Amino acid sequence: MKNIVIKIFIALSIPILLYSVLLILVPERLGSFESLYIILIQSIVPTIIAYGISFGFKAGIFDFTIGSRIILAGLIGGLMSVEFGLSGLIIGCMLSSIILGIITGAIYYFSRIPSMVVSFGLLMIYEILGAKLVNGGLITLSSKLTVLGNFPYNILVLAGTLILFYLVFYYTSFSSQTQLVGSNELIAKNVGIKPMKVKFNTYVIGSIFLGIASVMQFCYSGSMAAKVNLVSLVAIFRPLIGLIIGLTILPVCKLPFGIFIGIFSLNIIFTGIIALGLPDNLQNVSLGIFLLMVVTITSKRDDIKEFMTRKKKSNFINKLREV
């Protein structure tokens, strides 16, 4: 029980320390429940996206079509909402996301081209399809269709998605196969696993979470615009870094919670930069610094532990000598 409490404290210490520092610097802007709630809701969509890309990432796949697929699925769902309301939005986003995942996975499976190359080509195609679908414009939802973006429905969606990801990641053979393929494909083949089939499945399973993210993104903004010229590529960066942070603190925190903690911490930093009146381009700088700090500290965790142990032994020996 004591170890569990310690692990929870270590995992939560990152966002708590960050928020405490910013609270001291700008208490008038961040010292309210509303500011925390804003940071929370800004973390929901990136967290769900991170859940969607985690399986492919663990399998060694680099997929840059994430943002374009979310946008294209959202545009299709938005068009269906005109005729079928909220159910049309949800079904349209989910089905189109899954179909796009199947198409992307199938092209990668049959072409045998590196995933990075495939994803860049499909990224441009999906962006063009989205732009053609709405003639380069956007689709706007009526206020009654954005209910999922409001409290408490947004929290319920996040909780439900977290539980779904937790069950899939920790209690399915698919997840175990994904991690084995990512760590050593040769061993995976020797035990009867088909690596390409597993990688194809990561696209399909991941697209379920991307469909949910598309629905939530639409409900938050109230509109969805087509993106071209690789603009949709930026959608993957924050979820990807949140995923890396989640994997880094995995020894002290389950991945679904670690991902959320990572993204929540990033949003605290970004909110602080805005509150301090600093230039927006410092977001990328702080993002890189924060990532380096977390990865360095956690990767050196054993060295730090060994150093502390040696220091305790040294202090104990010095006390004995004094006696």
Side-chain angles (χ1 to χ4, degrees):
M1 183 65 182
K2 183 179 179 181
N3 289 335
I4 295 176
V5 173
I6 293 174
K7 288 182 178 181
I8 293 174
F9 175 77
I10 294 173
L12 294 178
S13 64
I14 299 174
I16 291 174
L17 288 174
L18 287 172
Y19 190 77
S20 298
V21 171
L22 293 175
L23 194 59
I24 295 172
L25 295 175
V26 280
E28 68 282 357
R29 295 190 179 185
L30 296 176
S32 66
F33 177 78
E34 183 180 359
S35 61
L36 272 176
Y37 176 70
I38 291 173
I39 296 173
L40 172 63
I41 63 174
Q42 289 176 340
S43 304
I44 292 178
V45 173
T47 297
I48 297 174
I49 295 175
Y51 291 162
I53 67 176
S54 61
F55 299 107
F57 184 82
K58 293 289 286 183
I61 290 175
F62 294 91
D63 185 10
F64 297 112
T65 66
I66 301 300
S68 60
R69 282 198 277 155
I70 290 173
I71 292 173
L72 183 54
L75 293 174
I76 295 173
L79 290 174
M80 291 186 63
S81 70
V82 176
E83 295 292 333
F84 305 104
L86 182 60
S87 60
L89 173 67
I90 296 173
I91 295 173
C93 287
M94 294 301 298
L95 281 181
S96 54
S97 178
I98 293 172
I99 291 172
L100 289 172
I102 293 173
I103 292 172
T104 306
I107 292 175
Y108 170 69
Y109 182 91
F110 290 108
S111 68
R112 307 285 171 162
I113 299 173
S115 58
M116 186 179 295
V117 178
V118 171
S119 64
F120 263 118
L122 291 175
L123 163 64
M124 292 182 281
I125 294 174
Y126 292 153
E127 283 188 341
I128 293 172
L129 288 176
K132 292 292 183 180
L133 194 63
V134 294
N135 295 321
L138 56 81
I139 297 176
T140 303
L141 293 179
S142 62
S143 57
K144 65 180 181 179
L145 297 182
T146 61
V147 61
L148 292 179
N150 302 327
F151 183 84
Y153 302 106
N154 51 3
I155 305 300
L156 293 175
V157 171
L158 175 62
T161 308
L162 186 150
I163 293 171
L164 175 62
F165 177 72
Y166 186 94
L167 294 174
V168 175
F169 190 82
Y170 286 103
Y171 294 100
T172 63
S173 58
F174 159 72
S175 180
S176 302
Q177 293 172 1
T178 298
Q179 297 180 61
L180 182 57
V181 168
S183 59
N184 195 313
E185 282 196 23
L186 181 60
I187 294 177
K189 289 180 180 179
N190 291 336
V191 298
I193 296 174
K194 298 179 180 178
M196 289 303 294
K197 182 179 179 181
V198 172
K199 291 181 179 181
F200 169 78
N201 289 335
T202 63
Y203 285 98
V204 180
I205 301 299
S207 65
I208 296 174
F209 296 94
L210 298 184
I212 299 172
S214 181
V215 173
M216 296 304 294
Q217 181 65 47
F218 216 147
C219 288
Y220 276 130
S221 62
S223 63
M224 185 77 76
K227 304 290 184 182
V228 293
N229 299 323
L230 307 181
V231 174
S232 64
L233 182 62
V234 299
I236 194 176
F237 293 135
R238 193 175 303 189
L240 180 59
I241 294 178
L243 172 59
I244 293 173
I245 294 172
L247 291 170
T248 303
I249 63 175
L250 198 56
V252 297
C253 183
K254 295 291 187 180
L255 186 59
F257 303 100
I259 289 174
F260 176 77
I261 289 172
I263 292 176
F264 189 78
S265 300
L266 293 177
N267 284 329
I268 290 176
I269 295 175
F270 294 153
T271 302
I273 289 173
I274 296 172
L276 290 169
L278 299 175
D280 291 341
N281 55 12
L282 282 181
Q283 289 189 8
N284 293 331
V285 176
S286 61
L287 191 65
I289 293 173
F290 178 69
L291 178 62
L292 287 173
M293 287 176 59
V294 172
V295 173
T296 300
I297 292 173
T298 51
S299 63
K300 298 295 183 180
R301 182 178 58 256
D302 294 336
D303 294 339
I304 295 172
K305 186 177 180 181
E306 184 180 352
F307 172 77
M308 294 303 294
T309 303
R310 288 179 179 178
K311 187 175 181 181
K312 288 180 180 180
K313 289 181 178 179
S314 177
N315 292 336
F316 178 73
I317 293 171
N318 290 333
K319 288 181 180 180
L320 289 177
R321 288 176 178 175
E322 291 176 0
V323 173

